[in-house]
Amino acid sequence: MLNEIAHTLDQAAASATSVDQISLSNPISLAQAYEIQQLSIQQRFNRGEKLVGYKMGFTSRAKMLQMGVDDLIWGRLTDAMQIEEGQEIDLTKYVHPRAEPEIAFLLNKPLSGKVSREEALAAVEAIAPAIEVIDSRYQNFKFSLEDVVADNSSSSGFVIGAWQSKNSNIDGLAMHLKVNDEVVASGSSNDILDHPINSLVEAARCIGAAGEELKAGQIILAGAATAAVALEANQTISANVINLGSCQFKTKG
Ligand code: OOG
Ligand code: MG
């Protein structure tokens, strides 16, 4: 059954079509949801995609409130999900994409299990402003915690701005998401688990508990500081993390 659900979700993502929430017909546990995520992403790996990192989700109150869930989740990032800075994306490849402002860590050492904030920072090579493009494969972007985890935590694309020093101050930085120069969402880097480094600590713990480790060269998205905003055609979307930098991408119809 898990394999079948994984296949359905992979096909939904590949064909940009929505499917019914799994939880409506098959009650699954959180452990089974992560198993489905792994089986589903394996199909991408089988098509040649490579794991490039992980994303953390629901690390801010704004996101939990928007989606009506209240626990941390994580998902996998593949090379095919990366959107180049400034790139124009084709919205027909998505079901109902949304963008959210994030902070990304690039690692230069492995990290797994229980680590301190200092140990987490010691494994960081660089830090960058980022945008995550999320796209639930469920109708109306509605899901339970188990549903969204099975669906790779809605991950579908990400943009990384210019990498900055690992010693950059990321404590309490204002973060803005703009659509065509208009600010549509604002928050603080500390809306992400009180400080974004805590998200890396949690990533090491959660992903370690699942039997994987964060590796040198991988990118970790700390989670959105604000609610996500729905994308429409002909927009320029940018995230500005004050004093860290900005990044952007565009949409076409
Ligand atoms: C789930 C993904 C949450 C974040 O940054 O909090 C997430 C969703 O909202 O669909 O990526
Ligand atoms: Mg996110």
Side-chain angles (χ1 to χ4, degrees):
M1 170 188 87
L2 301 190
N3 252 315
E4 205 173 301
I5 299 171
H7 179 74
T8 302
L9 287 168
D10 176 60
Q11 284 306 303
S15 61
T17 45
S18 59
V19 295
D20 291 335
Q21 284 174 246
I22 306 162
S23 58
L24 300 180
S25 49
N26 286 300
I28 51 165
S29 67
L30 195 56
Q32 286 176 316
Y34 276 109
E35 215 175 308
I36 294 169
Q37 179 188 126
Q38 203 271 324
L39 291 166
S40 162
I41 294 300
Q42 186 58 46
Q43 306 195 27
R44 289 175 179 250
F45 297 155
N46 294 347
R47 294 195 292 270
E49 292 184 34
K50 302 269 180 292
L51 180 74
V52 295
Y54 298 89
K55 55 87 57 84
M56 296 300 286
F58 303 134
T59 51
S60 69
R61 268 208 73 62
K63 280 291 303 183
M64 289 188 186
L65 283 173
Q66 181 181 32
M67 305 316 297
V69 291
D70 55 8
D71 215 347
L72 288 186
I73 58 173
W74 58 275
R76 294 164 167 97
L77 301 175
T78 75
D79 56 347
M81 295 177 189
Q82 185 149 12
I83 298 164
E84 290 310 318
E85 154 79 340
Q87 189 185 321
E88 187 174 69
I89 64 166
D90 181 352
L91 292 185
T92 62
K93 299 217 162 75
Y94 302 82
V95 183
H96 34 209
R98 297 178 178 179
E100 49 191 29
E102 304 220 4
I103 285 177
F105 295 103
L106 177 64
L107 301 185
N108 60 14
K109 287 191 191 66
L111 261 187
S112 176
K114 191 168 163 22
V115 299
S116 66
R117 290 164 61 123
E118 292 68 31
E119 286 165 330
L121 191 60
V124 172
E125 168 78 14
I127 304 177
I131 305 173
E132 187 179 23
V133 176
I134 52 170
D135 190 25
S136 176
R137 270 54 69 162
Y138 300 115
Q139 276 135 32
N140 305 315
F141 231 111
K142 275 194 60 189
F143 44 67
S144 66
L145 191 68
E146 290 78 13
D147 289 329
V148 66
V149 163
D151 185 27
N152 199 26
S153 297
S154 303
S155 83
S156 96
F158 62 97
V159 186
I160 307 286
W163 289 108
Q164 306 295 328
S165 161
K166 65 175 281 176
N167 298 316
S168 305
N169 172 28
I170 49 167
D171 188 25
L173 304 184
M175 295 177 62
H176 302 293
L177 186 73
K178 288 188 194 169
V179 175
N180 302 334
D181 285 333
E182 189 198 331
V183 174
V184 292
S186 293
S188 159
S189 60
N190 286 9
D191 290 336
I192 304 164
L193 294 178
D194 294 328
H195 189 292
I197 197 71
N198 291 328
S199 184
L200 186 55
V201 168
E202 288 302 317
R205 185 180 65 78
C206 300
I207 294 158
E212 295 187 25
E213 70 171 8
L214 309 183
K215 295 194 170 72
Q218 288 183 338
I219 292 167
I220 313 299
L221 291 178
T226 73
V229 173
L231 298 179
E232 289 167 20
N234 305 314
Q235 291 177 324
T236 298
I237 312 292
S238 56
N240 192 356
V241 183
I242 305 301
N243 289 333
L244 187 67
S246 59
C247 59
Q248 62 161 252
F249 70 98
K250 296 175 195 304
T251 60
K252 70 172 180 193

